[in-house]
PDB file of all heavy atoms in Angstrom:
ATOM      1  N   THR E 291     102.013 103.811  59.787  1.00 35.00           N
ATOM      2  CA  THR E 291     102.721 102.664  59.261  1.00 35.00           C
ATOM      3  C   THR E 291     102.823 101.538  60.243  1.00 35.00           C
ATOM      4  O   THR E 291     102.475 100.386  59.881  1.00 35.00           O
ATOM      5  CB  THR E 291     104.214 103.035  58.812  1.00 35.00           C
ATOM      6  OG1 THR E 291     104.123 104.065  57.864  1.00 35.00           O
ATOM      7  CG2 THR E 291     104.866 101.899  58.164  1.00 35.00           C
ATOM      8  N   PRO E 346      89.914  70.854  71.749  1.00 96.00           N
ATOM      9  CA  PRO E 346      88.773  70.677  72.694  1.00 96.00           C
ATOM     10  C   PRO E 346      88.869  69.235  73.293  1.00 96.00           C
ATOM     11  O   PRO E 346      88.197  69.009  74.349  1.00 96.00           O
ATOM     12  CB  PRO E 346      87.582  70.781  71.843  1.00 96.00           C
ATOM     13  CG  PRO E 346      88.047  70.604  70.386  1.00 96.00           C
ATOM     14  CD  PRO E 346      89.440  71.173  70.348  1.00 96.00           C
ATOM     15  N   VAL E 375      88.692  85.261  79.130  1.00 96.00           N
ATOM     16  CA  VAL E 375      88.178  84.611  80.352  1.00 96.00           C
ATOM     17  C   VAL E 375      87.755  83.227  79.904  1.00 96.00           C
ATOM     18  O   VAL E 375      87.070  83.030  78.909  1.00 96.00           O
ATOM     19  CB  VAL E 375      87.069  85.371  80.991  1.00 96.00           C
ATOM     20  CG1 VAL E 375      85.902  85.596  80.079  1.00 96.00           C
ATOM     21  CG2 VAL E 375      86.634  84.660  82.240  1.00 96.00           C
ATOM     22  N   PRO E 509     111.369  67.585  83.921  1.00 95.00           N
ATOM     23  CA  PRO E 509     110.862  68.516  82.912  1.00 95.00           C
ATOM     24  C   PRO E 509     109.918  67.829  81.902  1.00 95.00           C
ATOM     25  O   PRO E 509     110.031  66.626  81.721  1.00 95.00           O
ATOM     26  CB  PRO E 509     112.125  68.989  82.270  1.00 95.00           C
ATOM     27  CG  PRO E 509     113.214  68.713  83.211  1.00 95.00           C
ATOM     28  CD  PRO E 509     112.840  67.440  83.949  1.00 95.00           C
ATOM     29  N   GLY E 528     108.939  73.491  72.940  1.00 97.00           N
ATOM     30  CA  GLY E 528     108.931  74.103  74.217  1.00 97.00           C
ATOM     31  C   GLY E 528     109.307  73.147  75.335  1.00 97.00           C
ATOM     32  O   GLY E 528     109.149  71.937  75.155  1.00 97.00           O
ATOM     33  N   PRO E 532     109.989  72.250  86.153  1.00 96.00           N
ATOM     34  CA  PRO E 532     109.541  72.626  87.488  1.00 96.00           C
ATOM     35  C   PRO E 532     110.729  72.709  88.517  1.00 96.00           C
ATOM     36  O   PRO E 532     111.685  71.897  88.419  1.00 96.00           O
ATOM     37  CB  PRO E 532     108.597  71.440  87.913  1.00 96.00           C
ATOM     38  CG  PRO E 532     109.067  70.293  87.006  1.00 96.00           C
ATOM     39  CD  PRO E 532     109.599  70.887  85.774  1.00 96.00           C
ATOM     40  N   SER E 548     106.835  79.613  58.776  1.00 89.00           N
ATOM     41  CA  SER E 548     107.494  79.433  57.442  1.00 89.00           C
ATOM     42  C   SER E 548     106.966  80.484  56.428  1.00 89.00           C
ATOM     43  O   SER E 548     106.221  81.362  56.790  1.00 89.00           O
ATOM     44  CB  SER E 548     107.093  78.016  57.026  1.00 89.00           C
ATOM     45  OG  SER E 548     105.674  77.921  56.806  1.00 89.00           O
TER      46      SER E 548
END
Side-chain angles (χ1 to χ4, degrees):
T291 301
V375 59
S548 64

